[in-house]
Amino acid sequence: MVSKTDDIPASVPNCNVNTVDLVGETPDRKETSKGPHKDPCGHSVDTAVMNGGGAHDLSEEESKQDGAGDTDGGEDSNEQEVIVIQDTGFTVKIQAPGTEPFDLQVSPQEMVQEIHQVLMDREDTCHRTCFSLQLDGNVLDNFAELKSIEGLQEGSLLKVVEEPYTVREARIHVRHIRDLLKGLDPSDAYNGVDCNSLSFLSVFTDGDLGDSGKRKKKGSELEQIDCTPPEHILPGSKERPLLPLQPQNKDWKPMQCLKVLTMSGWNPPPGNRKMHGDLMYLYMVTVEERHISITASTRGFYLNQSTTYTFNPKPANPSFLSHSLVELLSQISPAFKKNFTALQKKRVQRHPFERIATPFQVYSWTAPQVDHTMDCVRAEDAYTSRLGYEEHIPGQTRDWNEELQTTRELARKNLPERLLRERAIFKVHSDFAAAATRGSVAVIDGNVMAINPGEETRMQMFIWNNIFFSLGFDVRDHYRELGGDAAAHAAPTNDLNGVRAYGAVDVEGLYTLGTVVVDYRGYRVTAQSIIPGILEREQEQSVIYGSIDFGKTVVSHGKYLELLERTSRPLKVQRHNVLNEKDESMELCSSVECKGIIGNDGRHYILDLLRTFPPDLNFLPVEGEELSPESVRQGFPRQHRHRLACLRQELIEAFVEHRYLLFMKMAALQLMQQKANKERKLATLTENSSPGAAVPALPSTETPDGSAESSETSTETLTDANSDAAQTETTSTSDAPQAAATETTTTEAAPKTEPMTETDSSATTTTNASQATPIEVNVVPMVTTNGPLVPFATAIQNGECESPLEGKAEDIIPGLAQAKELAESLAAEDGSGIDPKSREVVLNACKAVGSISNTSFDIRFNPDIFSPGVRFPEDSADDIQKQKQLLKDAGAFLVSCQIPSLVKDCLDHSALPMDGATLTEALHQRGINVRYLGNVLALVDKTPAKAQLEHFYRIGISELITRCAKHIFKTYLQGVELSALSAAVSHFLNCFLSSFDAVAHLPADELVSRRKNRKRRNRVPGGGDNTAWASLTPSELWKNIVSEAQSYYHFTLHCENADQVVEKYGLQKITLLREISIKAGIQILIKEYNFDSRHKPAFTEEDILNIFPVVKHVNPKASDAFHFFQSGQAKVQQGYLKEGCELINEALNLFNNVYGAMHVEICACLRLLARLNYIMGDHHEALSNQQKAVLMSERVLGVEHPNTIQEYMHLALYCFANGQLSTALKLLYRARYLMLMVCGEDHPEMALLDSNIGLVLHGVMEYDLSLRFLENALAINSKYHGPRSLKVALSHHLVARVYESKAEFRSALQQEKEGYTIYKNQVGEAHEKTKESSEYLKYLTQQAVALQRTMNEIYKNGSNASIMPLKFTAPSMASVLEQLNIINGIIFIPLSQKDLENLKAEVQRRQQLQESGKSVEDLTVDSPLELEDKIPMDVNVD
């Protein structure tokens, strides 16, 4: 059984099956882009998934040019290494005091500490914290790996031995008991502390997934399902309630074990009691209202005789001395004993994924009113900086810099070493991010003393917990020339992107600072680790590379140049010279702002990486510089808030890749011209000029004998090679001989022959001016349909610009394989062995694409171009000119290629954003900055198919509005003092969303005596007595939003208030509320808000529960795991499901090894595994893996993230396949509710969801309900896929089946006829789909006739008519499941063993042919492989 998963592009004939291209879905892009959609020929048009999106995530070492072909070699060596880590696990016996010995499965790499953790989590041993593990009387070292322990083997007995307490151990014990008591309490998740987050899956599955699913009898399930969805979930419903977002989990009703557990006021013990072993005193109130005082001593816990007012530390009688607090309390309080046992049972039954901490904190934008309980540990945490006892490391505060850098220095020669290193890096990073976030909040809340307290608040800097904090304001006019505060606000995120980029390149010996950027209460805080010794000296002394004043003074340093040189290729940074204040030339390999400082630890640090990537000229007007025509046509350059607008790394990569393809094509065409010339010279020496000589499409190759060869080639050859290129996309190759192309084919091909026309044009721009004009005139005949000849002209006409390497270049141009060989051999040696003509070919191609080397393709950017204050030496003027041109081309590429290709991907549904976050991600994957959002929307507005992009346009508008509102909110909040915060936030939300004309009511001061109060006002940054916020009105806010949209995004919004926006753009207020809350970190009370009331405001100050920090940080990657994941995907694509499954399982192991149990990438891994399990027939395993994927997505991305919605849909399918129908329905209803909240009903993905719901309802015979959903799906499909799409035909068929079950044959016939017509027109009479449809039509007609006869019979003979029993078919579960699989893009194709062998042989044969450089197109002619029957197909029809 072979099948197809929708996350993976099908291996179509014109794609080399090579791990580099078929990236499928990289784990770190959440699954917003669904699998490739097919065009009717069955070819994948999903460029984004195939190379755009994924290729950048390949590790840097393996850049496109170097290692595209040899990934397979590397894969084998990886497999060898894996065997090393997979030492088989073994079982040990564990004996704890007072319990039966039990078996525990362990692996040799685990540390002894991990067994400790397991015991502290197990139901029967969870109350012990202070113990050691002993083997034959020897205490095991906590930090030893199990494999290093002598005598530890299968079946060894480990004894748990109670150890004496210390103050630290006693505190840890109390903390642990507190955690056990709070085991089911969700308040930490609502409050966003300790990496807790919400998950609601168990509410909908009632725990009947997994093993318990087997218990249910499948037959009896049908009767007892209540399938009616709540009213607000039905199609067409307008209400969007908020409460169902967080359903109440009945397990969360806390079972009270204790009323109070707190530290006693008698702490710490006086000296004489210390000498008796007292460590600390606790005070408790049991459920039975008994007040008790407890001593923690070295031997354990006992009751003492103290009361609230008298201190009597003597043991009470009986003292109940116990080593564990739980044992002590169980003896004193029967209620505690009973409830604690029940609580632990429940806690252990929860899925582990519901309780494991996430690596980074996830905040919820809504929460119920949580009761505030007394909690000693929480109180203590808030007022100590929680240093010392809870960090299980020696030394008081953590030296973050040392930890971050030491982990980078760990060995990385083989897989186990790399895993250890990546795990350490990831752990330190997530701890650092958490500490930095805490610190930033403390700084803004005024809990940290500044290191320069005398200066005004916005200039203050702070140090807390070995982290340095600075505010995002322009201090000392540092950024004056770059845009002041706006630049100071943008610089930290640019710097973070630089840190991310250098961290990913990971050069040994070059160090960056730990960096976290936090936005909180309107302020931006940058948190950085501290370079040892930097605080003792002046900056001028420390900086030995770069510039501290934006290029006025510049220094350089040999060691830094050497280190940075190693990053320059992967980051595409060009080495260049700049002048310093003495006009000396200084060599740099980074931007001038990048500073090099050698710390006291001798490490080479680089900081201030805000200009790692080159400037974006579209947003940087420079006097006297003219941008390329496409940019100008779109209204660029535009003034931006600041001068730090940079191109994204993804754009640089895509641009270079694009140029690489051009380079290859040019070289190939020239080689072919040379070959053709030789042949022609041999054939006819007389003919010196040919009719097509007017078209030197490339700079003419001067050969040594002086004749300009290229001019002798005829136009035909060029254009035809090209029209071929264009046709590989449509896959109809012409077998006409190349030279015989007529002028007509040329013009038709021109709009498609995008790469070539682009080539000449860029060629013309780089050849010298005198030559350029004649060429431009001459080329016109070739490019007739294209209008003006400019680089990228065609791109605009096509509205697309294929990403390079699409469809593998070899199939496109016959000479390409040679060109590749030539380029590689030139790069490999000094080039002496290659004949001058070939070298010339490469030289020309290099010049044309702007390569910095003349012998090989190498594009790099100089990040200092157009930096104010930077001067370049005279002798590099040419080079600077070239660099300027390259930057203009890159800007033009963004506007004329990347933006149209995004729109095209949205049109063919290979990119399906659902909310602001997924939209931003889709932009970023293609290298488009969010400041281009206005342009993207303008392009959508002009697209003829605008109706099919309505969902995209709506999400774009809502993102634009909420971002503008966020900009305004930021400055609005800075002027609000802490005591008025909730009133100010609710007032802002009222102005933004409520129909009520909001008048702010200043909060009645809770503390009445105003006069005394005013004097002692604490100074927080930007504080002061400020009630300016209260004067904001809705009309003023919306005016500001409109002007912000105009000035920042250059987009004109037509609206004066929230209601007009809703009316004009079809937005939902609840969606806007969600977006602004997430962006600004607002948490609101979960209740139903009435936005449309004109009489009272929607929000009151009581509705604002909290303000959270919004955190940006680096995400360290698990590189080896990622490679396994990719190889696994590639294997699956080639039809080797089993091998693919093994590789992906291996990837999962490695991911777990590096990230721990919770991570976005693990989520993607689990989803794919579940899909493979399902396809291979293991439904149960699929269910268990998908359940984990859903839980993980809820926990790490958020309960209503688009990714979570998708995971719910997959889980519902596997539930249905496992016979759990009611659960499947509940999950689908949940997904639909979330989707309505996030993006409303009008979205292409809603059609899929509704088809799923309709099918399941059909299966449980709820026909009327089923029709409502299926007809809605039909309407949405017709709108977004066009009425003639195969998806629509399928929708018609599904609706027809329900009508048939209702015995409404006329309606059924009508629907099926529509479907039949589409099939007939799209795929022809002979196609099996058309035949199936026509069979079904016949069957329906017979049924209709039979029904009519019966009716006539009844009319005629009255009650004594002889009635033929009619066949009403309740659909079988199997047939419903089959349809479900089809709409979800899974199809099973029964293949015999022989077919499988043939298929594998065929795939291998193709690969060999492609490797030998032969065009795949040729071979499809002689051996057509019936794609329909054999190769796994993806049925995302159309």
Side-chain angles (χ1 to χ4, degrees), residues 440 468-472 488 492 495 515-518 524-528:
S440 305
F468 173 77
F469 298 92
S470 53
L471 299 174
D495 184 34
T515 307
V516 175
V517 178
V518 179
R524 171 158 284 182
V525 185
T526 310
Q528 290 169 311

Side-chain angles (χ1 to χ4, degrees), residues 322-374:
S322 316
H323 192 264
S324 134
L325 200 48
V326 171
E327 288 168 355
L328 171 72
L329 288 167
S330 299
Q331 295 176 65
I332 297 173
S333 159
F336 177 87
K337 186 175 183 180
K338 175 175 158 232
N339 287 351
F340 186 79
T341 321
L343 186 72
Q344 294 322 308
K345 263 205 172 41
K346 262 196 174 148
R347 183 183 64 87
V348 179
Q349 276 166 6
R350 287 175 72 189
H351 197 287
F353 283 3
E354 292 182 65
R355 26 192 203 123
I356 297 171
T358 58
F360 300 105
Q361 184 65 56
V362 177
Y363 299 103
S364 160
W365 65 279
T366 53
Q369 199 72 59
V370 181
D371 295 332
H372 194 59
T373 50
M374 195 184 258

Side-chain angles (χ1 to χ4, degrees), residues 677-689 712:
N677 288 344
K678 276 182 198 153
E679 285 165 12
R680 191 171 298 119
K681 274 187 182 158
L682 290 174
T684 118
L685 289 163
T686 49
E687 189 175 319
N688 286 335
S689 65
E712 294 195 1

Side-chain angles (χ1 to χ4, degrees), residues 144-350:
E145 291 195 343
L146 298 185
K147 59 170 178 247
S148 64
I149 295 170
E150 271 178 58
L152 183 66
Q153 61 205 32
E154 178 72 35
S156 299
L157 178 69
L158 292 179
K159 284 206 165 112
V160 174
V161 180
E162 297 175 343
E163 293 288 333
Y165 282 100
T166 58
V167 176
R168 178 170 176 275
E169 284 293 346
R171 281 174 185 272
I172 286 176
H173 186 76
V174 172
R175 195 170 267 277
H176 180 65
I177 300 304
R178 187 276 314 232
D179 289 344
L180 290 177
L181 294 177
K182 280 178 57 172
L184 296 177
D185 178 18
S187 57
D188 278 357
Y190 287 123
N191 294 330
V193 281
D194 293 340
C195 289
N196 285 304
S197 59
L198 298 164
S199 159
F200 294 105
L201 178 64
S202 53
V203 179
F204 300 98
T205 55
D206 293 335
D208 67 350
L209 291 182
D211 310 324
S212 50
K214 296 174 184 165
R215 294 198 302 268
K216 293 207 169 173
K217 293 194 286 297
K218 289 191 182 161
S220 65
E221 232 200 59
L222 277 182
E223 296 86 84
Q224 37 186 308
I225 300 182
D226 173 27
C227 322
T228 22
E231 199 58 39
H232 61 262
I233 290 177
L234 288 172
S237 162
K238 285 283 171 276
E239 54 171 323
R240 300 279 180 266
L242 191 55
L243 279 170
L245 181 62
Q246 296 179 341
Q248 285 305 300
N249 192 330
K250 47 181 185 299
D251 280 352
W252 290 350
K253 290 285 170 286
M255 285 182 278
Q256 213 180 16
C257 301
L258 274 180
K259 284 199 167 157
V260 177
L261 154 63
T262 174
M263 297 288 164
S264 159
W266 300 116
N267 280 319
N272 63 334
R273 288 309 304 170
K274 243 189 208 165
M275 295 169 147
H276 284 83
D278 289 9
L279 302 171
M280 62 184 192
Y281 305 119
L282 303 170
Y283 169 70
M284 303 195 189
V285 182
T286 65
V287 181
E288 295 89 353
E289 279 295 332
R290 182 177 167 190
H291 294 241
I292 49 178
S293 194
I294 292 179
T295 301
S297 75
T298 47
R299 295 168 51 200
F301 295 84
Y302 62 82
L303 285 187
N304 63 36
Q305 297 177 27
S306 300
T307 65
T308 320
Y309 301 114
T310 51
F311 178 59
N312 180 356
K314 295 272 184 294
N317 192 11
S319 73
F320 298 117
L321 174 68
S322 316
H323 192 264
S324 134
L325 200 48
V326 171
E327 288 168 355
L328 171 72
L329 288 167
S330 299
Q331 295 176 65
I332 297 173
S333 159
F336 177 87
K337 186 175 183 180
K338 175 175 158 232
N339 287 351
F340 186 79
T341 321
L343 186 72
Q344 294 322 308
K345 263 205 172 41
K346 262 196 174 148
R347 183 183 64 87
V348 179
Q349 276 166 6
R350 287 175 72 189

Side-chain angles (χ1 to χ4, degrees), residues 470-486:
S470 53
L471 299 174
F473 294 115
D474 184 9
V475 181
R476 304 196 178 83
D477 287 344
H478 190 56
Y479 291 104
R480 190 176 58 208
E481 292 177 18
L482 298 168
D485 280 347

